[in-house]
Amino acid sequence: MLLLQIATAGIATGSVYALIAIGIVLIYKCSGVVNFGQGGYVMLGAYAAYALTRLGLSPQLAAAGAVLILAAVGALTELLVLRRMLKAPVVAVMMVTLGLLILFRAVCLAIFGPDQIAFPQIFPQGAVDIAGIFITYNYVAAAVLSLVLSLAFLAFYRYTPMGLMQRAAADNSRAALAVGIHVSNQVSVAWAVSSALAGLGGVLLATLNSLSLTLSSIGLVAFPVIVLGGLTSLMGSLVAGLLLGMLEAFTDGLLTPALESFLRAHTSVYSVGALQQVVPYMLVGAMLLVRPQGIFGQRGTERV
Amino acid sequence: MLEARQVSLRYDGVIQAVDGVDFTVAPGGLVALLGPNGAGKSTLLKAVAGMLPFEQGEVAAGSISFDGRSLLGMHPASIARLGIALVQEGRQCFRGLSIAENLKAASLARPRGAATRLDMVFDYFPFLREMRQRPAGHLSGGQLQMLVIGMAMMGQPRLLLLDEPSLGLSPTMVQTVFDVVERMHHELSVTVVVAEQTVPRLLKMATDVYVLSRGRVVMHTPPAQADEETLQRVYLS
């Protein structure tokens, strides 16, 4: 019973992590840039949805509007910032993405203040009763939406002409240019899609918890996900996101209580703190020692 | 068809790769662009295809036009859509994608009639049909050269630019590549420019010969006058 409940929570948050991580991988594949600012887009998405409800939109419309706004913000980031840095070293570009994260936080802090905000209810309140355990609609909706969208996006990337252009531009930009694919436009598209996914992730995370600036630190969870998934594999991100969500949920729901009751019985220590934020990283570290290319990553092969 | 007048090309703003070159390609021609290593052949082809700015290069002076339309400042993707296909050195393709996806991706800029052209490519290169689900990275050098030529065909070019297609291939493979080029030139009435160091076979099929050396045109003749002896003298001078 308890296990099932924990697993559901793990799937819900894990699939949102996957959604966010897929966006990072998408940009990395076609431009070689790791977007350290992804957490900023997650946070912006949630605040944008909140702002739209304050303007009078229904929560559902506000959520959809926030996703569109974030797509525009992502495309603009590429056009106004990244495109001007084409000749800069990749490390410099990554530092700029980190700067954007700080900027977005400052903007949200200035407009919305530092306090937690109750996020408007997008999905119906209440819970479904599955075999005796109750799961709130928020969790069901977050899991279903993120999983369906992740899979839909993977299918889009794999089977449509637009997806093929994305993959071609990511594989070899010189060859792509020569066959008439406008590579920088493809990078713009990647930023737009990635930011839209991040924005949706932000909205879903805010419905699961609440709205605050700490949403921007979600990037810290997304990075182990993409490393575990193999950095260039979208499917890897999906699987690794779910895995990490589960690890967090089980650490929080089983390991921490067990450890705390053991410590209470035998020592004077009462709490072990937020163990769920540590264990996943330890496991990722351990796994990378065994399999450095991640679960789905390909070992670099070169013709010599 | 293609007209380059007094073209000077530079890298990094200082390195003069091509200096005041006139280069004309008539419709239906098959032009051999010969010259030793570093003569500026690749640079000239890249300038036509608009690829120079992506390698810190620039057209410093002169004009390049295709059917009377200036190509200067155009994006390579737009130039490709005009019907100019550059088969770059190094057999540039999408090694992580399947052969079928490589060919499909090469047709996206001009999708109309892609299915017919795919049949044609498979007719030219039957092995590509058999291996179409395999990643392009698994192909050998000669097979890759065929694939990139096939990819160029998928863009339905009117002008095909081939940059050293024989580089690193076995002599029999070189013959096969040139057989294909000749067949395309005849059957599809594609105008072709082939940049090479020296290939007797190329001289036999060319309609026009340019020889570049150190960034200048040192010889422009009908192929009849470009026997190997003359070429060797020009190369060494």
Side-chain angles (χ1 to χ4, degrees), chain A residues 33-165:
Chain A
V33 171
V34 175
N35 178 16
F36 285 111
Q38 186 78 341
Y41 295 85
V42 172
M43 175 192 67
L44 272 188
Y47 276 105
Y50 170 71
L52 288 176
T53 58
R54 292 291 298 270
L55 292 174
L57 257 59
S58 74
Q60 295 79 16
L61 271 181
V67 172
L68 291 180
I69 290 174
L70 261 288
V73 172
L76 282 176
T77 308
E78 198 281 325
L79 278 172
L80 300 178
V81 184
L82 278 292
R83 199 166 284 200
R84 279 153 213 285
M85 300 191 67
L86 281 180
K87 289 183 181 148
V90 169
V91 176
V93 181
M94 292 193 208
M95 288 301 120
V96 166
T97 65
L98 203 55
L100 285 172
L101 171 66
I102 295 167
L103 174 74
F104 291 158
R105 269 187 74 109
V107 168
C108 286
L109 179 65
I111 299 176
F112 301 100
D115 298 327
Q116 276 204 1
I117 300 170
F119 199 69
Q121 197 67 41
I122 295 176
F123 308 111
Q125 267 173 328
V128 277
D129 177 356
I130 300 175
I133 61 157
F134 289 95
I135 304 161
T136 64
Y137 283 119
N138 277 348
Y139 275 92
V140 177
V144 170
L145 258 180
S146 329
L147 281 178
V148 167
L149 273 170
S150 299
L151 290 171
F153 178 74
L154 291 185
F156 164 84
Y157 200 68
R158 188 96 187 80
Y159 298 112
T160 67
M162 187 70 164
L164 181 57
M165 281 198 215

Side-chain angles (χ1 to χ4, degrees), chain B residues 115-220:
Chain B
T116 324
R117 293 205 296 281
L118 186 62
D119 283 338
M120 186 182 72
V121 170
F122 285 153
D123 174 50
Y124 269 71
F125 311 108
F127 76 95
L128 288 179
R129 189 197 295 273
E130 282 154 35
M131 298 175 73
R132 63 184 181 277
Q133 299 307 336
R134 302 258 295 273
H138 289 185
L139 296 179
S140 69
Q143 290 172 325
L144 272 178
Q145 189 61 51
M146 310 290 182
L147 173 63
V148 292
I149 292 175
M151 286 166 70
M153 288 165 81
M154 291 303 290
Q156 202 175 24
R158 290 192 294 133
L159 175 62
L160 176 65
L161 311 171
L162 295 159
D163 196 355
E164 300 220 28
S166 76
L167 198 71
L169 298 185
S170 68
T172 38
M173 199 47 101
V174 172
Q175 290 306 315
T176 318
V177 167
F178 281 108
D179 285 343
V180 163
V181 172
E182 196 166 24
R183 190 178 156 201
M184 281 175 75
H185 179 236
H186 285 306
E187 290 182 2
L188 312 174
S189 51
V190 183
T191 308
V192 183
V193 177
V194 188
E196 277 292 348
Q197 302 215 20
T198 88
V199 176
R201 171 71 195 277
L202 179 58
L203 285 178
K204 283 197 197 91
M205 60 197 224
T207 58
D208 204 6
V209 177
Y210 279 84
V211 182
L212 285 187
S213 181
R214 293 192 206 114
R216 291 170 190 274
V217 175
V218 290
M219 193 169 148
H220 175 206

Side-chain angles (χ1 to χ4, degrees), chain B residues 69-149:
Chain B
R69 180 172 177 181
S70 173
L71 298 180
L72 295 186
M74 275 180 81
H75 192 275
S78 313
I79 293 177
R81 280 160 207 253
L82 287 181
I84 298 179
L86 170 63
V87 175
Q88 307 173 82
E89 57 193 334
R91 324 199 207 292
Q92 302 288 337
C93 63
F94 311 115
R95 291 176 192 231
L97 307 191
S98 73
I99 287 164
E101 286 173 331
N102 269 270
L103 293 168
K104 177 95 193 294
S107 74
L108 290 176
R110 307 179 103 190
R112 200 179 300 164
T116 324
R117 293 205 296 281
L118 186 62
D119 283 338
M120 186 182 72
V121 170
F122 285 153
D123 174 50
Y124 269 71
F125 311 108
F127 76 95
L128 288 179
R129 189 197 295 273
E130 282 154 35
M131 298 175 73
R132 63 184 181 277
Q133 299 307 336
R134 302 258 295 273
H138 289 185
L139 296 179
S140 69
Q143 290 172 325
L144 272 178
Q145 189 61 51
M146 310 290 182
L147 173 63
V148 292
I149 292 175

